[in-house]
Amino acid sequence: MFIFRLLLKNAFRHKLRTLLTMVGLVVAICAFGLLRTIIDAWYAGVDGTSSVRLITRNSISLTFPLPLSYAERLRNVEGVTGVSWSNWFGGIYITERNFFPQFAVEPASYLALYPEYVLKDEEKKAFILDRQGAIVGRKLADQYGWKIGDQIPLRGTIFPGTWTFTLRGIWDGVDAKTDESQFLFHWQLLAESNRKRFKRGADYVGVYVVRINEPDNAPVVSERIDALFKNSLGETLTETEKAFQLGFVSMSEAILVAVNAVSFVIIIIIMAVMANTMTMTARERLAEYATLKALGFSPGFVVKLLFGESLVIALIGGGAGLLLTLPIAAGFAKAVGTLFPVFMVSETTMMYQILASLIVGVVAAAWPAWKMSRIDIVNGLRHVA
């Protein structure tokens, strides 16, 4: 306790300089945590995937649909225990700024494949029975203030016209990684509209969602599915749900690398600022450390004093930065809306912040501690005012 009080007193001997250094640490650790959280949010869709779900799409591109007739053939593939499908809709709610994912799905089979969407039985039944019905995630409903029974108009882009849906259910995610920002409605409604408008092209889907019996069977079942439709007019590419999501993340890989690099550059900068502070502190106390050595204290004691003081400053500033990250991240998540379906500061990020603070404290004190451990007593005492 005595040593800690001594370190604390030494750390705040020059209050203004210490406070400014701590402010820099708070800003750096907070920025580091926020940038790491943004990277985590980018991969949230990957982390929330299931190991027993496969995605089957057209091998050319996602923009090319697959025939609905594939569904029955997929159900007969060995290792497949469930099949559903979905289409991207891409409608606009009031203004283009209100972006959120919208999918036309086959209600019963699709919800059976996504048990992480926790929906009340009566809401699920109402959705299945109402062709004009829709369900949304809790985050999306809270963002726009939607309630059960509300009429939600979407202006079509890929599929022209104004589409009005009745909100029949709001699901909650089974855990924090579950996406609660999606809008789901009946694929059959979309198919009927396409049939009236285009006279053909109605019986096509965007992707198939396939459930398998064992995660380890994913490569084998994927090969079986793709072999089944080889040399057909609509050849398929089947991959795990995780690989499918990683394909979207890879499109932004350059941005993620840049954000990751900036997060570490911030730590390096504050490390240099902290090192400068500790070097100035060591110079000012040159005579004090020489006196301690003259009184018989070992060089190791002087080193411990410098490292201890540096760590006290780093941990106080880093701890404050960590705590400040939580409300800032919450405000950021609210500001970006559904851009990041899952945005939260993870325990791993908080551990990185603490570790970064410790590294800054240790590295900043390394050079001045080494210099003070080698100080000559006579030359040091000459600095006594």
Side-chain angles (χ1 to χ4, degrees), residues 36-344:
R36 299 301 308 175
T37 303
I38 290 174
I39 294 174
D40 289 344
W42 228 298
Y43 283 95
V46 177
D47 296 334
T49 57
S50 171
S51 58
V52 294
R53 284 198 296 261
L54 305 178
I55 303 296
T56 297
R57 63 176 178 85
N58 193 298
S59 61
I60 301 174
S61 169
L62 271 172
T63 58
F64 289 83
L66 292 172
L68 181 62
S69 58
Y70 279 17
E72 195 59 39
R73 299 175 67 183
L74 284 169
R75 291 189 182 98
N76 294 324
V77 174
E78 184 181 353
V80 172
T81 60
V83 175
S84 191
W85 55 88
S86 68
N87 269 81
W88 173 261
F89 184 67
I92 297 172
Y93 177 64
I94 302 176
T95 173
E96 284 82 356
R97 295 181 60 185
N98 298 331
F99 171 81
F100 51 87
Q102 306 142 25
F103 295 97
V105 303
E106 200 293 308
S109 60
Y110 192 85
L111 291 177
L113 296 184
Y114 288 85
E116 60 265 39
Y117 296 169
V118 182
L119 191 66
K120 294 179 181 178
D121 290 339
E122 58 270 23
E123 294 179 2
K124 180 179 178 180
K125 183 178 180 181
F127 171 52
I128 293 174
L129 294 177
D130 184 3
R131 189 66 59 86
Q132 294 287 144
I135 57 172
V136 301
R138 179 69 60 185
K139 181 177 180 179
L140 189 62
D142 290 344
Q143 181 177 350
Y144 295 109
W146 292 338
K147 302 181 296 297
I148 303 297
D150 284 356
Q151 298 291 304
I152 303 172
L154 295 180
R155 176 162 49 89
T157 52
I158 303 172
F159 306 97
T162 299
W163 302 65
T164 302
F165 303 95
T166 303
L167 186 59
R168 293 302 183 189
I170 300 174
W171 78 75
D172 294 291
V174 72
D175 56 35
K177 293 181 179 180
T178 305
D179 187 357
E180 296 181 350
S181 65
Q182 295 187 37
F183 183 102
L184 306 179
F185 65 95
H186 283 248
W187 176 86
Q188 194 62 41
L189 177 69
L190 183 65
E192 288 176 358
S193 175
N194 287 341
R195 192 174 292 112
K196 292 176 183 177
R197 179 168 296 148
F198 305 114
K199 307 299 181 185
R200 58 191 180 90
D203 294 331
Y204 283 85
V205 303
V207 299
Y208 283 100
V209 184
V210 180
R211 184 177 60 204
I212 57 177
N213 52 3
E214 292 290 339
D216 294 339
N217 291 339
V220 176
V221 176
S222 297
E223 289 179 4
R224 289 172 183 164
I225 292 172
D226 293 340
L228 182 63
F229 302 109
K230 191 174 182 180
N231 297 324
S232 66
L233 293 177
E235 293 190 357
T236 62
L237 172 63
T238 304
E239 54 194 345
T240 62
E241 190 177 38
K242 184 175 183 177
F244 180 73
Q245 293 291 345
L246 279 172
F248 290 100
V249 174
S250 65
M251 298 177 187
S252 309
E253 187 174 0
I255 297 174
L256 294 178
V257 170
V259 172
N260 198 31
V262 169
S263 70
F264 286 104
V265 168
I266 290 171
I267 297 301
I268 293 172
I269 291 173
I270 196 59
M271 194 180 293
V273 172
M274 184 77 175
N276 181 62
T277 298
M278 295 311 300
T279 301
M280 292 173 63
T281 297
R283 269 194 210 137
E284 291 171 354
R285 299 176 192 168
L286 193 60
E288 295 179 23
Y289 296 143
T291 302
L292 286 173
K293 292 183 71 174
L295 291 173
F297 288 94
S298 67
F301 182 76
V302 175
V303 169
K304 289 177 183 178
L305 283 179
L306 274 166
F307 271 112
E309 184 177 340
S310 180
L311 285 171
V312 165
I313 295 173
L315 288 176
I316 293 175
L322 189 155
L323 293 175
L324 190 61
T325 304
L326 300 176
I328 289 179
F332 183 84
K334 188 175 181 180
V336 299
T338 56
L339 179 61
F340 294 117
V342 179
F343 193 89
M344 62 177 183

